[in-house]
Amino acid sequence: MAVTLLNPSGLPEVDVYRQVSIASGSKLVFIAGQVAWDAEGATVGEGDLAAQVEQCYLNIGTALAAAGGSFDDVAKLTVHVVDWTPDKMPLLLEGISRAAARLGAAPVAPATLLGVAALDVPDHLVEIEATAVLD
């Protein structure tokens, strides 16, 4: 496997991601920010953050598979949430959990969560981008 994830001692352990990603592969895969669009471009889960997070992760899974990878190869995730407040965390975690169950994988690469004022389309509540490393 080209990516090793760990939580070094001296840094807090966070349930939903690891603090460090060590990449040793030779092929980098950069996945554009994924929003809650289905294959036809229709928004999934309008007004439902958990449903949109789930769809974003499913879209990333599709992109990874097309590149010959999986969530095991993800070195870094960046999550952009419209009008982020900490009370939205349970919905974010619910969406991740639902996607993980459907994908059969836990997307736990190091992650950055950013609150943003808006995304490309007013119906989109979240956008997630990924960087993966393949052997």
Side-chain angles (χ1 to χ4, degrees):
M1 189 172 350
V3 177
T4 302
L5 304 175
L6 59 115
N7 280 320
S9 63
L11 293 177
E13 268 194 45
V14 180
D15 290 338
V16 296
Y17 66 87
R18 303 299 175 262
Q19 294 284 5
V20 176
S21 171
I22 302 167
S24 60
S26 59
K27 181 164 70 169
L28 294 175
V29 179
F30 299 94
I31 298 172
Q34 295 298 303
V35 294
W37 277 334
D38 64 15
E40 287 75 43
T43 298
V44 173
E46 189 172 330
D48 182 342
L49 180 60
Q52 289 200 16
V53 168
E54 178 182 11
Q55 185 64 44
C56 290
Y57 276 96
L58 295 176
N59 290 350
I60 290 169
T62 298
L64 288 165
S70 71
F71 269 98
D72 290 337
D73 302 305
V74 174
K76 177 76 169 79
L77 294 164
T78 304
V79 181
H80 303 85
V81 182
V82 174
D83 297 327
W84 174 257
T85 55
D87 64 311
K88 294 181 180 180
M89 184 60 81
L91 294 171
L92 180 75
L93 296 176
E94 178 185 337
I96 294 170
S97 178
R98 289 179 358 200
R102 289 182 63 186
L103 292 164
V108 294
T112 299
L113 172 63
L114 301 168
V116 297
L119 293 170
D120 61 333
V121 175
D123 291 341
H124 293 159
L125 305 175
V126 62
E127 183 170 333
I128 305 171
E129 59 185 73
T131 302
V133 180
L134 305 176
D135 285 325

